[in-house]
């Protein structure tokens, strides 16, 4: 099991530089925890984009399907003439199509983002039990060569470096 | 050096937001009491309607809709600013939204909560309100999906759910941040609200994506909701209602009232909660410009509506009704409305006025009144001046309707005030992002200079 | 009327006969059992859920229209006209429709009462009551003749005969029995007597008349026989061109009758007589009327002596008007000149009546449109002078016992006469009224009569007609037929002078022997004839009008120019009293339906009002709702103002039928006939300084240039209709029926009979005055009375407005819960128990015919017994509206199905169409091109209301015809 080294930074720029250095140094996997999605840090980690889009799109399409199915089947279930309009009055139903698309789409989006955020130990406390919501950014290196990692982190300007 | 100052700035911001509940003193509780009593009065008035039927109102034939529907449209309008500011401006990358959108979103949610009550309140048999929802029942009876009121059910409930989700998703990271500094029940509450947030890069990647999608859903939704509400009128045959102009006209009106309400609430809020250096005059200025812009759209709509009607012969009911608004029994309300919604905001074109906080507050309060009057004008004058002159009749609200109108304000502010005790009124995470961004840019420039 | 005859079967008749028979058996003290004995084995014609029809007669006014009472499970629920009756012709007016409310009135007296020493009424057994009365009568008789008086409504039948017999038995004189009919056309009788020697009322046949000129005779509202005259007039309406009957209205105020007129000749108050004289003079002028009736020739010199210019000046018209009128009457013969009516009944009423009769003779109308010899003259009303004399005797203490039979002098006589004070002087006032009225408030003994629907009786309104009344249900309360009580009294008197049968049924049968002779055709046993007659509602036989001979010398007396009226003092206006169908003559309490329904002319309900012309109102600075202080030499009254352009500027008009009018009436008489002079008063008018919310139905009385109600003329005989051929969607299928209605606006007189019929049929709640002020009346049909096409232009139109049952109904798609939808039979159905009350349907209904239940309505017992069991009583919070009487449609379809045949045209008749006196409403199946409604709708006068918005209503209006004067 690889050792885990944590370096804390006060400034996103510094954290980003340190992360790049760690990756150049091939210090295993690098992760970060931060109070806000600092673009430079995210960029430095260079992970591929989230797959949430696929989930949300399916949700939206499912919503559209329900949106079409509900008014059409309901109107056909009891075909009453109102105002001389056809039983299946598409223009009138468009509103329902749209609203259900949005509703089910966003709910899937919520469910999807939660699931993804909680998966891969997302719910587990961070190594060392510290939280980084306040004014610090934590950079974790999972490496077999902790010494090197600590060195790189210090060189990167970490305020403190520790093994966790 | 930039390191320390950045984190210092973060800490300062976070403390400011975390301190909000502590700043709510006796005055706050007085306000809560006031809101609660208004709310109870409204509830009492409604109980009278339920017990004795709508006969206790001043409604009549032909004017079968009055204050209650006016209130509905008004509050749906109020509910629009939030999503507009948080979603639309987010997609437009308008940075000034960051400081103000949380308050706006809270307003949205409580606004919809208020608006959603009135379609039920105004029913003749409110205890059967659930018949409007499509639920499976053994008689296979379904709502009539051709009815604009059925569309309302979908639009408003969707809007309520989505905007609530949007609000709490935004709150998640902040809750996590505040949990660290909070104690007691608040700590537990924040723990709940943070939804297991740790702020890892993986979570942030999904989160930013999700937020983008929410914004993408909410943007057309916000446009659709008030369009649907406008169809309650535009789809009908009634002169003064039957107009294709209504959807954009209503959306603009909604944004006008919503943003005006945001400003009305922000100005005292930032003072009392000492958030003046987070919510700065710059933000108010930007919002004021927004008010000016939509007010121009609304003014244009008014003039188009009347201008077009003038092209038809004098006997035409449409024309007759629209001129009746400006000249008939309700003319004073009409002109007051024009003053509040068109003339007032024009003054915001002058920088001096825009940047004077009392002036801004006054104008926005006036817009709130004016927008309520606009809805009253649309609902009541059109009905009171229908196609058959024989059935013309006036409507003036009675004390019961007024009780419920003011009660709705009580209900809205009760929830808003209570939420101040818990919910972060400013998005900490996004503020931090902005701060860092600003410094980053600043540092870059410094380097170039050096 | 489906099921009439099986309705009154042998069994039914026998049951009723048995009742009365039982009554007979048990007659004379001890008192009669007044209840029908319940059946152990129910008779087979009483089938729960099936209506049972009885024929009887309406007693609301002397016209005597035949009635078909629909009963359900042994209680009357609805009154309709008797189609076999020659007078009503199957129709009833608003009053007739509402008379059933008196049967179920919550405040109806449930038994005899006696006023104790404390002045309070206390219940008393019938026996004691009759005993006490008998004693009183005996005592009074001892004192000599004239101590016992009887004030009664006109009772041309058994009741009247019994009264006369009893009085005779009590040694009474002729004049001791006074017949009280406030609106009786006494001047006309007097004129007939003077001119033709017989004090009879003429009978009119307006169907033959090509031009009808009404000199203040509101024959479409209250005059003589309104339902019959309306029907006759409408027979000549609804066609374009010369064959259409024209109606000319002469009077200072455009009454409801005047609104149906083609021309309004605005004479000043009291100007009818000068105009009539000028007209008569014009007619006899050489060369004007080629075949002038020889009888009037001798009058020419007298007439020639009259100064036409003076006459027209007095009438407030121009010579050209007389000329035009004369030329029209000469060109369009036969015609009919009607008058005077209550509104034109002034101090010279008899002269006016005479001059009009002479004109009718001159024009050869007598014998063609004005018929004589048909008045049975059975119990003609006494003159107002006689009534006054009676009151004077009462006041002078010359009367010991006053029997009051369905007459309410205190409620219908000018306050100036002090009827109340006079009654107070009478030791014993006995009333047979079944409802508390002004007179009853002073009566010492209340002996409540049956309601007409609970009692036997017959009236002969005219020769050739004996209308039979019969009980259609068990009496609700411990009441007794007044005539029966009188018979019992006769029995209780010591040594009855004339032996009377102790039981009304026997008395009635004895009379039947006589009045059935013309139809009995020499039958020995008259009972089966009587049975048939009762099944039909009366004995109808041919009675030919007789000729009359004019007494020219007598006629000459009427040709003197009337005395010049003194010029009005400054600030004085001519005061015009006018009657309305809904308010009636003011006797007794008014059924709430008549209060709730809006007046035709002003659309005011629940209150009296005073009308001022637009100019006069402006001059006095008065707007509608301002309370006016009106004062005459008789008294003063405060009345809310209604600004009415259909009024001369020098006139203020006040409706009769209420204390306000009575306070103002001077109570003068027309000396020639002794009739009360309603016209001829003057009043000062001032603002009282208050204003009230006037309960008016109308929003704007004008069409605001929207040409909602179309007109046609000979020049342009067809309505120009928009092209609506474009269709966005296919029309919803109507596989079997497509119910539709046609309403002929050329026939409609705005009489409100349909409105009241709808209240009765559909359990429409009465909301009261406050609701009327707020515009919350629940009526499913209303008369939209437009005064003119645009503001300030007077051209009245009636538009009966009810649910249009549109094919593209705007109300349907907006309902979120399908509470209203389009049925396969083309009805716009309203599902009460699905309705949640969004009220969007009403907002989107361009016709505003949907009413909302603002509250739960309580039908106070026993009013609930009148509720139609076929129609749901709606609860608070739901919408309702006209259903085209779907219950009647279902009933007819059911009957047709049982007999497995298609529904015949005309078999389904909604309540409004059924009762329409003008027969203006036709209902039927639009799927059947041969049906009357289809043919009418296809005609050139057809149009839909607000056609341009393409709602495609099932109701087609037939445009009113406007003929420019020839």
């Amino acid at each position: 099991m690889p050792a885990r080294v944590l370096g804390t930074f006060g400034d996103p720029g510094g954290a980003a530089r340190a992360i790049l250095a760690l990756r150049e140094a091939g210090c295993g996997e690098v992760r970060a925890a931060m109070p806000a999605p600092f673009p430079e840090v995210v960029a430095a980690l260079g992970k591929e984009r989230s797959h949430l889009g696929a989930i949300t799109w399916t949700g939206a399409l499912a919503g559209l399907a329900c949106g079409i199915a509900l008014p059409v089947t309901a109107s056909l279930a009891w075909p009453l003439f109102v105002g001389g309009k056809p039983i299946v009055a598409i223009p009138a139903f468009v509103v329902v199509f749209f609203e259900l698309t949005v509703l089910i789409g966003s709910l899937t989006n919520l469910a999807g983002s939660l699931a993804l955020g909680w998966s891969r130990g997302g719910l587990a406390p961070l190594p060392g039990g510290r939280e980084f919501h306040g004014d610090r950014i934590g950079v974790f290196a999972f490496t077999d060569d902790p010494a090197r990692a600590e060195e790189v982190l210090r060189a990167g300007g970490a305020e403190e470096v520790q093994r966790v | 050096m930039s390191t320390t100052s950045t984190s210092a700035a973060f800490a300062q911001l976070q403390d400011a937001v975390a301190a909000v509940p502590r700043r709510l003193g006796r005055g706050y509780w007085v306000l809560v009491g006031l809101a609660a009593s208004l709310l109870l009065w409204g509830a009492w008035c409604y109980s009278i309607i339920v017990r004795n039927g709508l006969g206790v109102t001043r409604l009549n034939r032909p004017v079968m809709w009055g204050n209650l529907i006016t209130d509905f449209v008004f509050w749906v309008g109020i509910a629009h600013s939030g999503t507009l500011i948080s979603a639309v401006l987010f997609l437009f990358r308008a940075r000034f939204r960051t400081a103000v959108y949380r308050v706006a979103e809270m307003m949205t949610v409580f606004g919809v909560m208020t608006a959603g009550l009135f379609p039920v309140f105004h029913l003749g048999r409110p205890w059967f309100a659930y018949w409007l929802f499509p639920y499976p029942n053994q008689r296979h009876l379904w709502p009539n999906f051709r009815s604009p009121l059925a569309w309302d059910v979908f639009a408003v409930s969707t809007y309520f759910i989505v905007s609530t989700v949007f609000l709490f998703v935004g709150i998640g990271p902040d809750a996590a941040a505040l949990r660290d500094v909070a104690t007691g029940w608040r700590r537990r509450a924040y723990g709940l609200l943070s939804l297991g947030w740790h702020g890892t890069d993986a979570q942030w990647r999904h989160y930013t994506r999700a937020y983008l999608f929410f914004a993408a859903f909410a943007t057309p939704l916000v446009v659709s909701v008030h369009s649907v509400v406008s169809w309650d009128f535009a789809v009908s045959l009634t002169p003064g209602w039957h107009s294709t102009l209504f959807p954009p006209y209503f959306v603009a009106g909604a944004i006008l009232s919503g943003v005006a309400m945001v400003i009305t609430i922000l100005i005292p809020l930032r003072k009392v909660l000492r958030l003046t250096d987070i919510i700065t005059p710059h933000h108010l200025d930007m919002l004021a410009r927004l008010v000016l812009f939509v007010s121009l759209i609304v003014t244009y709509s008014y003039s188009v509506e009347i201008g077009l009607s003038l092209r038809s012969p004098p006997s035409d009911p449409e024309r007759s009704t629209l001129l009746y608004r400006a000249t008939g029994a309700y003319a004073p309300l009409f002109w007051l409305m024009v003053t509040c919604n068109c003339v007032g905001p024009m003054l915001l074109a002058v920088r001096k006025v825009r940047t004077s906080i009392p002036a801004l507050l006054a104008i926005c309060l006036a817009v709130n009144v004016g927008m309520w009057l606009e809805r009253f004008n649309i609902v009541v004058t059109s009905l009171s001046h229908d196609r058959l002159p024989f059935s013309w009749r006036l409507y003036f609200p009675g004390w019961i309707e007024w009780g419920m109108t003011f009660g709705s304000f009580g209900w809205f502010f009760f929830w808003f005030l209570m939420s101040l005790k818990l919910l972060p009124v400013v998005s900490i995470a996004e503020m931090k992002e902005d701060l860092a961004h600003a410094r980053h840019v600043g540092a870059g420039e410094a380097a170039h200079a050096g | 009327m489906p099921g009439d005859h099986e309705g009154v079967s042998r069994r039914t008749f026998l049951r009723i006969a048995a009742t009365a028979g039982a009554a007979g058996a048990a007659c004379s003290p001890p008192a009669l059992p007044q209840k029908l004995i319940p059946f152990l084995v129910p008779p087979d014609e009483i089938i729960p859920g099936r209506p049972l029809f009885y024929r009887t007669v309406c007693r609301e006014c002397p016209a005597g229209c035949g009635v078909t009472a629909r009963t359900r499970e042994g209680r009357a629920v609805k009154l309709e006209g008797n189609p076999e009756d020659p007078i009503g012709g199957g129709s009833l007016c608003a009053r007739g429709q509402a008379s059933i409310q008196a049967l179920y009135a919550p405040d109806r007296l449930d038994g005899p009462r006696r006023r104790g020493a404390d002045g309070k009424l206390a219940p008393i057994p019938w026996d004691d009551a009759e005993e006490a009365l008998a004693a009183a009568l005996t005592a009074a008789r001892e004192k000599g003749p004239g101590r016992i008086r009887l004030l009664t409504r006109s009772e041309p039948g058994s009741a009247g005969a019994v009264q006369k017999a009893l009085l005779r038995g009590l040694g009474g004189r002729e004049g001791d029995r006074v017949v009280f009919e406030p609106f009786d056309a006494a001047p006309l009788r007097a004129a007939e007597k003077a001119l033709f020697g017989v004090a009879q009322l003429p009978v009119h046949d307006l169907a033959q008349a090509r031009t009808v000129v009404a000199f203040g005779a509101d024959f479409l509202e209250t005059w003589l026989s309104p339902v019959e005259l309306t029907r006759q007039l409408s027979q000549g309406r609804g066609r374009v061109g010369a064959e259409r009957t024209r109606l000319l209205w002469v009077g200072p105020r455009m009454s409801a009758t005047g609104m149906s007129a083609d021309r309004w000749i605005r004479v000043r108050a009291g100007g009818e007589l000068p105009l009539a004289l000028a007209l008569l003079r014009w007619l006899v002028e050489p060369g004007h009327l080629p075949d002038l009736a020889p009888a009037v020739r001798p009058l020419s010199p007298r007439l020639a002596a009259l100064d036409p210019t003076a006459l027209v000046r007095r009438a407030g018209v121009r010579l050209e008007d007389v000329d035009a009128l004369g030329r029209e009457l000469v060109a369009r013969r036969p015609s009919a000149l009607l008058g005077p009516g209550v509104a034109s009944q002034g101090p010279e009423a008899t002269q006016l009546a005479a001059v009009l009769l002479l004109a009718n003779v001159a024009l050869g109308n007598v014998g063609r449109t004005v018929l004589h010899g048909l008045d049975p003259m059975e119990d003609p009303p006494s003159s107002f002078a006689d009534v006054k004399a009676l009151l004077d005797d009462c006041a002078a203490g010359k009367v010991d016992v006053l029997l009051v039979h369905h007459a309410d002098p205190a409620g219908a006589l000018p306050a100036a006469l002090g009827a109340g004070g006079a009654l107070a002087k009478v030791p014993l006032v006995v009333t047979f009224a079944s409802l508390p009225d002004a007179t009853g408030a002073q009566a010492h003994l209340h002996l409540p009569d049956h309601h007409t629907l609970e009692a036997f009786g017959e009236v002969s309104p005219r020769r050739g007609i004996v209308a039979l009344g019969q009980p259609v249900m068990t009496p609700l309360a411990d009441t007794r037929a007044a005539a029966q009580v009188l018979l019992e009294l006769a029995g209780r008197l010591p040594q009855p002078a004339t032996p009377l049968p102790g039981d009304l049924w026997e008395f009635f049968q004895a009379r039947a022997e006589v009045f059935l002779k013309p139809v009995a055709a020499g039958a020995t046993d008259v009972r089966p004839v009587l049975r048939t007659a009762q099944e039909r509602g009366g004995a109808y036989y041919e009675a030919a009008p007789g000729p009359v001979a004019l007494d020219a010398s007598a006629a000459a007396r009427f040709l003197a120019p009337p005395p010049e009226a003194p010029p009005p003092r400054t600030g004085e206006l001519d005061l015009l009293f006018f009657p309305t169908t809904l308010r009636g003559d003011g006797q007794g309490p008014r059924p709430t339906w008549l209060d709730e329904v809006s007046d035709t002319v002003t659309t005011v309900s629940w209150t009296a009002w005073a009308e001022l012309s637009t100019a006069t109102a402006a001059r006095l600075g008065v707007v509608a709702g301002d309370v006016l202080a009106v004062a005459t030499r008789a008294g003063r009254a405060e009345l809310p103002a209604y600004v009415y352009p259909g009024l001369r500027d020098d006139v203020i008009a006040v409706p009769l039928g209420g204390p306000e009018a009575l306070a103002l009436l001077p109570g003068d008489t027309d000396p020639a006939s002794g009739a009360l002079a309603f016209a001829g008063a003057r009043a000062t008018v001032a603002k009282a300084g208050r204003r009230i919310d006037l309960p008016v139905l109308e929003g704007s009385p004008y069409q605001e240039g929207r040409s909602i109600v179309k007109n046609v003329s000979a020049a342009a005989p067809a309505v120009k209709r928009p092209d609506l051929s474009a269709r966005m969607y296919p029309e919803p299928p109507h596989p079997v029926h497509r119910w539709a209605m046609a309403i002929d606006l050329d026939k409609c007189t705005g009489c409100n009979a349909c409105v009241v019929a709808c209240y009765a049929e559909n359990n429409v709640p009465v909301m009261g005055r406050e609701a009327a002020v707020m515009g919350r009346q629940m009526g499913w049909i209303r008369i939209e009375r437009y005064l003119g096409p645009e503001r300030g232009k007077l051209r009245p139109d009636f538009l009966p407005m009810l649910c249009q049952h549109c094919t593209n109904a705007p109300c349907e798609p907006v309902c979120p819960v399908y509470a209203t939808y389009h049925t396969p039979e083309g009805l716009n159905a309203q599902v009460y128990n699905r309705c949640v009350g969004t009220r969007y349907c009403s907002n989107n209904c361009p016709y505003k015919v949907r009413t909302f239940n603002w509250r739960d309505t309580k039908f106070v017992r026993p009013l609930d017994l009148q509720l139609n069991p076929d129609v749901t009583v709606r609860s608070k919070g739901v919408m309702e509206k006209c259903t085209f009487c779907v219950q009647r449609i279902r009933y007819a379809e059911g009957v047709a199905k049982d007999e497995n045949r298609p529904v015949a045209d005309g078999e389904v008749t909604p309540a409004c169409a059924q009762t329409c006196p003008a027969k203006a409403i036709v209902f039927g199946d639009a799927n059947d091109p041969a049906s009357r409604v289809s043919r009418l709708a296809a005609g050139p006068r057809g149009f839909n209301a607000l056609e341009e918005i393409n709602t495609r209503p099932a109701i087609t209006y037939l445009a009113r015809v406007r003929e420019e004067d020839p």
Side-chain angles (χ1 to χ4, degrees), chain C residues 584-641:
Chain C
D585 59 14
Q587 294 197 83
R590 195 176 297 131
T592 50
W593 289 337
L594 300 182
D595 271 329
E596 177 86 351
V597 171
S598 298
D599 170 62
T600 304
V601 172
T602 59
T603 76
V604 173
S605 55
W606 287 105
T607 178
W609 64 93
E611 294 171 13
L612 288 175
S613 78
T614 319
T616 313
R619 184 165 59 75
L620 299 173
V622 171
V623 296
D626 285 347
V627 177
L628 299 175
V630 187
T632 64
R633 58 184 157 86
R636 64 192 305 284
E638 296 205 332
L639 289 157

Side-chain angles (χ1 to χ4, degrees), chain B residues 49-66 68-69 122-129 131-132 135 137 139 141-150 231-239 241 314-318 320-321 383 385-393, chain C residues 603 696-706 708 770 772-777 779 782-786 791 799 801 810 812-818 832-840 842-856 875-879 946 948-949 951:
Chain B
I49 291 187
V50 173
R51 279 174 286 147
N52 307 321
L54 279 154
V56 297
T57 65
R58 301 292 299 168
L59 290 168
N60 58 41
R61 183 172 75 183
V63 188
M64 295 236 177
W65 286 356
L68 302 189
I69 295 297
H122 98 292
L123 289 182
R125 304 201 293 173
W127 43 93
F128 290 133
W131 286 358
L132 272 74
Y135 65 98
N137 56 72
R139 292 171 302 167
L141 284 177
W142 296 93
N144 171 12
F145 292 96
R146 279 160 281 193
S147 163
L149 296 185
W231 286 331
D232 287 350
F233 306 101
V235 163
S236 82
L237 271 175
T238 313
W241 283 7
S315 63
D316 178 62
E318 290 284 344
S320 166
T321 300
L383 288 176
H385 200 79
D386 196 18
R387 289 178 191 276
L388 285 182
F390 195 84
S391 54
W392 289 351
R393 201 174 276 275
Chain C
T603 76
V696 288
L697 183 62
E698 69 189 358
S700 164
Y702 298 101
Q703 297 179 40
E704 307 285 334
R706 300 180 180 188
I708 292 156
E770 274 317 299
V773 168
M774 291 186 65
R776 288 176 173 179
Q777 292 100 323
R782 63 174 181 267
I783 304 295
E784 290 204 347
R785 185 274 295 115
Y786 287 105
R791 285 176 196 242
L799 187 68
M801 185 48 73
E812 288 165 355
V814 298
C815 175
V817 292
Y818 278 123
Y832 304 128
N833 51 8
R834 178 64 172 168
C835 176
V836 296
T838 68
R839 309 190 295 297
Y840 197 171
S842 169
N843 290 346
N844 206 28
C845 172
Y847 309 99
K848 290 290 174 281
V849 288
R850 301 180 141 256
T851 60
F852 181 69
N853 283 274
W854 299 102
R855 52 169 168 80
D856 276 324
S875 69
K876 87 177 170 217
V878 306
M879 272 288 170
L946 301 178
E948 63 278 6
I949 53 177
T951 51

Side-chain angles (χ1 to χ4, degrees), chain C residues 7-65:
Chain C
V8 186
S9 67
R10 196 186 99 274
R11 210 175 257 273
T12 319
F13 175 74
L14 287 182
R15 187 163 96 266
I16 296 159
T19 323
C27 77
S28 71
L32 292 172
Q34 281 295 310
K35 289 191 164 29
L36 293 172
I37 294 98
F39 292 88
L40 296 175
V41 183
D44 55 11
E45 70 272 10
I46 293 194
I47 305 165
R50 283 210 60 183
L52 192 55
F53 298 90
Y54 294 93
R55 292 284 175 78
T56 173
V57 57
C58 176
R59 303 288 279 109
E60 287 299 297
C61 80
C65 302

Side-chain angles (χ1 to χ4, degrees), chain A residues 71-133:
Chain A
V72 172
T73 50
S75 305
L76 291 174
W78 202 305
L80 299 173
F81 282 97
V82 291
K85 306 205 171 8
I87 297 295
V88 177
I90 299 303
F93 294 171
V94 166
V95 176
V96 184
F97 300 172
F98 171 78
E99 298 295 343
L100 283 187
T101 312
V102 170
L103 180 63
I104 298 180
S106 1
L107 289 180
T108 347
N109 189 36
L110 174 69
S113 54
L114 285 178
L116 291 175
W118 289 343
S119 62
R120 306 233 186 79
L123 274 177
L126 295 175
R130 274 186 66 182
E131 290 286 334
F132 293 89
H133 304 304

Side-chain angles (χ1 to χ4, degrees), chain C residues 242-414:
Chain C
E243 280 321 295
R244 172 174 176 277
T245 308
R246 279 169 55 79
L247 171 60
L248 278 60
W249 173 253
V250 180
R253 170 183 183 266
M254 182 188 267
S255 68
T257 308
M259 285 185 159
S260 296
D262 299 84
R263 191 157 122 237
W264 172 31
I265 303 173
R266 331 176 148 220
V267 296
R268 71 161 50 102
E272 292 89 354
L273 176 55
L275 178 66
L277 275 170
L279 175 66
L280 183 58
R281 185 187 179 287
W282 187 95
L283 287 173
V284 300
E285 257 179 57
H288 282 161
L289 188 53
D291 50 355
L292 177 67
V296 293
R297 286 230 171 76
L299 304 176
S300 310
R302 299 270 328 224
L303 285 164
L306 294 173
D307 167 13
T309 45
L311 289 173
V312 294
R313 200 192 73 252
R314 299 266 302 280
V317 296
R318 298 161 305 135
L319 270 173
E320 301 78 68
D321 298 322
V322 183
D323 200 50
L325 178 57
R327 268 192 277 97
E328 168 163 5
L329 289 173
V330 170
R332 299 174 57 84
R333 283 185 291 165
S335 58
L337 280 62
L338 311 179
V342 169
S344 58
Q345 183 170 311
E348 294 89 27
T350 311
Q351 187 183 2
L352 173 57
V355 173
L356 291 175
L357 282 172
L358 288 171
N360 278 319
V361 174
L363 287 160
N365 298 335
V366 175
R368 296 169 76 184
T369 62
V370 183
L371 310 174
H372 291 85
L374 292 177
D375 183 347
M377 286 183 292
E378 171 127 11
D379 207 29
S382 318
S383 76
F384 170 70
D386 300 345
V387 178
K388 224 155 104 183
L390 170 62
L391 290 177
D392 295 342
D393 289 355
C394 292
K398 297 199 191 121
V399 179
D400 292 339
V401 182
L402 177 64
L403 306 167
V404 184
H405 174 81
H406 297 288
D408 182 12
L413 283 175

Side-chain angles (χ1 to χ4, degrees), chain C residues 104 120 149 238 352 382 476 503 588 662 766 775 802 959:
Chain C
Y104 296 114
K120 292 198 171 38
R149 302 292 187 89
L352 173 57
S382 318
L476 278 175
D503 167 43
L662 296 179
V766 170
L802 61 159

Side-chain angles (χ1 to χ4, degrees), chain B residues 165-184:
Chain B
V165 169
F166 205 15
L167 172 68
F168 282 102
V169 165
I171 284 174
D174 299 351
L178 292 174
R179 178 187 52 198
D180 301 350
V181 293
T183 57

